[in-house]
Each structure stands twice: as structure tokens, then as C-alpha cells.
Amino acid sequence: MATNVSKKKPLTVNLRSKACNATKSRQKPNLQKKKINGKTVLISAREAKKSA
């Protein structure tokens, strides 16, 4: 099982309609599985791009 290294959390916002109704929305971080020193870890795509 991959361990989560990244400290990123889901972004939560309210989507607003023209009538000002609020609907909850979540954007999950883009976590990728990468092998680092023989261990599988979950890191964000931005962190994976920097390390490559």
C-alpha cells in the first residue's frame, strides 16, 4: 500500500447559481503513485514533475 507523503487536502468551495443558491463542491488533489527508494508513495503531480 502506498503511503501519503503530500500534505495536500481537497479544496472545498461553494458553487453559486444566478439565484445565489450554494452547492458544495470538492476538488481532490492530483496524487500519483511513485517509487522512491524502493517504497511506493503518493505525491502530487507537481511534486512528481519536480523530482523527475
Side-chain angles (χ1 to χ4, degrees):
M1 186 171 177
T3 59
N4 193 355
V5 176
S6 182
K7 301 289 184 199
K8 293 188 175 274
K9 301 214 187 267
L11 179 73
T12 57
V13 293
N14 281 328
L15 299 177
R16 294 284 178 172
S17 67
K18 191 171 182 180
C20 206
N21 298 332
T23 305
K24 296 261 184 206
S25 174
R26 279 173 59 133
Q27 287 183 346
K28 294 183 181 174
N30 187 6
L31 298 179
Q32 306 289 323
K33 285 184 184 176
K34 290 286 179 179
K35 282 203 172 196
I36 298 176
N37 297 331
K39 290 189 174 185
T40 306
V41 295
L42 284 173
I43 57 175
S44 68
R46 182 180 289 184
E47 292 167 347
K49 188 176 177 181
K50 284 183 182 178
S51 67

